[in-house]
Amino acid sequence: MAALMSTYAPLPVSFTHGAGAELFTASGESYLDGVSGIAVTNLGHAHPKVTRALTEQAARLVHCSNLFHISAQERAAQKLISLAGMERVFFCNSGAEANEAALKLARLHGAAKSIDQPKTVVLEHAFHGRTLATLSATGNRKIQAGFEPLVSGFVRAPRNDSSALEAIAANSTDVVAVLLEPVQGEGGVFPLDQEYLVRIAELCKENDWLLMFDEVQSGNGRTGSYFYYQQSGVVPDVLTTAKALGNGVPIGACMARGPAARLFAPGHHGTTYGGNPLASAAASAVLDTLEAEGLPARAPVLRSELIDSFQATLRHTDIVKDIRGAGLMIGIELQEPCAELPAAALEKNILINVTAGQTVRLLPPLVMQQSQAAQLGESLAHTIDRWLDARYEVTAGGQQCVTS
C-alpha cells in the first residue's frame, strides 16, 4: 500500500479474524499459524481470557501514565517476577525497548565502578532490536548497513566460544556486562551450549559483569519452561522479554535481581505507555493462563508431534541440514537458501517463516492441538517437496537441476 513506508514486503494474504491456532481471511479461508505473529500469540488468537481481560479493563481505564500508581501494573509485575525469579521489573512497549533498558543498566553499573567507557559483550549472529543501540548490539551486518555511525560500547564474540570470553576478560578492564539470547532466534534458532552458559556465568561473577539474557522470543512458555534459562541452571542478573507477554498487546519487560535491580532511580529511565492499565491487564491474563493451564509443558509434546510428522512425510530428506531449537521454537535448516518457502506455504494454507537465509523457523502457539501440529509438519514437508520438485526434474537416472 502506497500510504505505508516500505519496511516490510508482506505476503499476498490478509486476515480478518483468528481462533486458536488458525487465522481466517474475509472469504473464510483458514490458515494454520506456524508463526504466531513472530512468537507473539503463544495463547493463539482470540483467547477468551485475554479478550475478557482487555474488554473489562478498556471499559474502566486504558491509560493514566506512570506518574501515578497503577494497580494492574503492580499485579502484573508481582506475577512476572515470581515466575522469572527476579526482584524488580520495568515495563515498556517492546523487546527492543526492554533491551535498551538493559543496556542502560549496564552503563549505570559501569558508572558505579568509575568506568568512563563501559562496554558490553554481545555475540555474533545475535538480534536484539532495531533501535540504534540494539541494532548496534545485533550481530547482523546486513541490517546495520546504512545506519552508521552505530552506537559504540560493544565487544563482539563468537557464540559457544568460551575461550573468546576468557580472552576478553583477561585483556579488557572496561567490560561491564554480557548480553546474549540463550536461544538465538533471528540468527537461525540456535540454543547456546549449556557448558558455555555456565562458563559465562562464572566469568561474569569473577569480573563483576552483569549477566543479561534476552528472552524476548524464547520466553513466556515457548521453549518448555517459562523462560529458557530455567532449563540451564544459570540465572541472569538482568532478563528481558516481550513478544508473547501480552499475546499481541504491545508490552515489554526488563527485569533484574540483586544489585542490578537497584540501579535505576527516578529520572534514569521512563516510558509514556509502558505498563499502562490495558497492557498490564493483558500481561496478567497471559501469565495467569500459562500457569493455570500448564501450557509451557505442551511445547515439547507439540514439538515432537510436528517434527515426527515432518520427517515421516518429507521425500527430499537430503535437503535437511539440521533440526534444532527448544520446545516450540524450531529451526529446520536446509542445505540451500529458501526465501521462497513462506509464499509457497500459503498454497498449503500454512504460515511459516524463514530466517538466516536457509532456516525454516516455526513458532506455533502453545494452544495448538496435537493433530494440528502433525498437520503443520506434514504440510511443511509437502511444501518443501513441491518447491524442490519445481527446481529439480526427477528422472530415472537421478536429479537434474532445471532452474538456477
Side-chain angles (χ1 to χ4, degrees):
M1 183 178 177
L4 298 175
M5 289 188 180
S6 299
T7 54
Y8 285 88
L11 294 170
V13 64
S14 179
F15 303 111
T16 57
H17 59 290
E22 291 182 282
L23 283 165
F24 301 88
T25 64
S27 64
E29 190 171 9
S30 68
Y31 290 78
L32 193 55
D33 191 356
V35 181
S36 298
I38 318 180
V40 168
T41 53
N42 283 9
L43 299 185
H45 303 284
H47 192 284
K49 292 181 180 177
V50 177
T51 301
R52 183 166 58 251
L54 288 172
T55 53
E56 290 177 356
Q57 185 61 53
R60 294 194 299 269
L61 181 67
V62 171
H63 180 79
C64 63
S65 92
N66 288 292
L67 296 176
F68 312 100
H69 284 283
I70 302 172
S71 59
Q73 182 185 108
E74 292 166 2
R75 180 179 184 276
Q78 191 57 53
K79 184 73 174 181
L80 182 59
I81 62 172
S82 176
L83 287 168
M86 296 287 117
E87 294 176 20
R88 292 182 179 178
V89 58
F90 168 78
F91 284 118
C92 49
N93 307 287
S94 67
E97 289 183 36
N99 287 331
E100 285 273 352
L103 292 170
K104 289 180 73 173
L105 284 175
R107 293 201 172 186
L108 278 176
H109 179 59
K113 297 169 66 174
S114 300
I115 297 175
D116 293 333
Q117 300 291 324
K119 293 182 173 60
T120 297
V121 177
V122 291
L123 301 186
E124 294 175 359
H125 310 292
F127 181 86
H128 297 295
R130 293 182 183 271
T131 62
L132 277 175
T134 58
L135 184 69
S136 302
T138 290
N140 184 332
R141 182 59 197 146
K142 181 179 178 181
I143 67 170
Q144 292 174 334
F147 297 105
E148 295 85 355
L150 298 175
V151 176
S152 62
F154 296 103
V155 179
R156 203 164 304 282
R159 65 183 172 216
N160 290 328
D161 187 343
S162 298
S163 61
L165 268 295
E166 291 165 354
I168 290 171
N171 295 290
S172 301
T173 59
D174 50 4
V175 169
V176 297
V178 177
L179 172 65
L180 59 83
E181 304 156 275
V183 184
Q184 290 190 336
E186 303 297 325
V189 194
F190 280 94
L192 298 183
D193 293 344
Q194 168 72 17
E195 297 80 7
Y196 178 68
L197 292 176
V198 170
R199 183 59 182 137
I200 287 178
E202 292 172 347
L203 287 169
C204 285
K205 185 174 182 180
E206 292 167 7
N207 293 278
D208 192 24
W209 298 346
L210 294 182
L211 178 60
M212 309 196 301
F213 282 0
D214 172 350
E215 293 223 35
V216 169
Q217 189 170 139
S218 60
N220 303 294
R222 175 147 298 278
T223 61
S225 51
Y226 200 85
F227 289 101
Y228 182 75
Y229 88 80
Q230 292 165 330
Q231 300 176 40
S232 71
V234 175
V235 183
D237 302 298
V238 179
L239 175 67
T240 64
T241 196
K243 287 193 181 290
L245 181 57
N247 209 58
V249 175
I251 184 169
C254 176
M255 294 166 276
R257 67 183 184 99
R262 295 178 286 278
L263 284 169
F264 276 155
H268 277 148
H269 201 43
T271 173
T272 297
Y273 299 111
N276 71 25
L278 189 70
S280 295
S284 287
V286 168
L287 296 168
D288 290 344
T289 304
L290 285 168
E291 186 176 38
E293 298 183 9
L295 291 177
R298 300 193 75 240
V301 176
L302 293 171
R303 174 190 181 84
S304 295
E305 193 78 40
L306 193 162
I307 292 175
D308 288 350
S309 176
F310 171 76
Q311 292 178 318
T313 306
L314 187 69
R315 289 186 285 110
H316 294 286
T317 55
D318 290 348
I319 192 65
V320 177
K321 182 177 181 180
D322 190 23
I323 298 177
R324 55 181 176 262
L328 288 180
M329 194 172 176
I330 302 169
I332 301 175
E333 184 177 358
L334 304 186
Q335 298 285 0
E336 55 189 274
C338 55
E340 310 94 331
L341 281 179
L346 293 180
E347 297 181 19
K348 300 297 293 183
N349 289 76
I350 60 171
L351 306 179
I352 65 170
N353 177 247
V354 169
T355 190
Q358 57 196 61
T359 298
V360 176
R361 177 173 51 169
L362 299 174
L363 304 160
L366 300 173
V367 297
M368 178 174 274
Q369 300 302 308
Q370 285 184 242
S371 60
Q372 291 175 317
Q375 178 189 342
L376 178 59
E378 180 180 330
S379 296
L380 174 61
H382 286 314
T383 298
I384 292 174
D385 282 334
R386 183 175 179 180
W387 170 66
L388 287 170
D389 287 343
R391 300 186 66 184
Y392 294 92
E393 181 178 305
V394 180
T395 68
Q399 292 184 339
Q400 179 182 357
C401 183
V402 295
T403 60
S404 58

